[in-house]
C-alpha cells in the first residue's frame, strides 16, 4: 500500500469517527426524541464513512465490494427505520394528547395568539 492510500483512509476514517462521536454526544446530551433520532442517523453516517474508508484500495484498484454492499444496505435500512421511528413518534404524540409543534411558528390556540 502506498503512503497516499493510507493517508486517504486515515482522513476518511477519522472523519467517520468524528461523525460517530458527534452522534454519541448529541444522543447523550439532548432530551427530545427526534433529536436522539437525528443523533442515531449521524452515528450511522459515521459508521458508513468508516466502512467506505476500509473498502478504499486506491485509484487504480477497485474498492472492496463487501463493505460497499454493507453501506448500501445500511443506508436503505437507516432510511426505513427513520421513517418508521418518525411515524411511531407522531402516533405517540397524538395518543398522549400532546400538541405537535407547528412548523410555521403559529400556535393553534382558540384565541388566535401566536407562540
Amino acid at each position: 500500500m502506498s503512503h497516499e492510500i493510507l493517508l486517504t483512509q486515515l482522513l476518511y476514517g477519522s472523519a467517520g469517527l468524528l461523525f460517530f462521536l458527534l452522534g454519541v454526544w448529541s444522543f447523550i446530551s439532548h432530551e427530545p426524541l427526534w433529536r436522539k433520532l437525528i443523533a442515531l442517523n449521524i452515528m450511522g453516517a459515521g459508521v458508513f464513512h468508516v466502512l467506505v474508508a476500509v473498502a478504499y484500495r486506491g485509484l487504480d484498484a477497485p474498492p472492496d465490494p463487501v463493505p460497499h454492499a454493507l453501506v448500501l444496505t445500511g443506508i436503505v435500512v437507516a432510511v426505513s427505520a427513520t421513517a418508521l421511528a418518525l411515524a411511531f413518534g407522531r402516533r405517540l404524540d397524538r395518543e398522549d394528547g400532546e400538541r405537535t409543534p407547528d412548523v410555521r411558528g403559529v400556535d393553534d390556540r382558540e384565541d388566535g395568539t401566536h407562540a
Side-chain angles (χ1 to χ4, degrees), residues 20-40:
F20 185 80
L21 292 176
L22 178 68
V24 169
W25 172 80
S26 183
F27 187 82
I28 292 171
S29 65
H30 291 98
E31 184 64 29
L33 291 177
W34 62 274
R35 286 190 179 189
K36 289 185 182 279
L37 183 63
I38 292 171
L40 286 173

Side-chain angles (χ1 to χ4, degrees), residues 3 11 14-15 32 34 45 47 49 58-59 65 69 73 75-76 78-79 81 87 94 97 115:
H3 179 67
L11 288 175
S14 298
W34 62 274
V47 171
H49 216 75
L59 294 175
T73 304
I75 289 170
V76 171
V79 168
R94 274 196 233 142

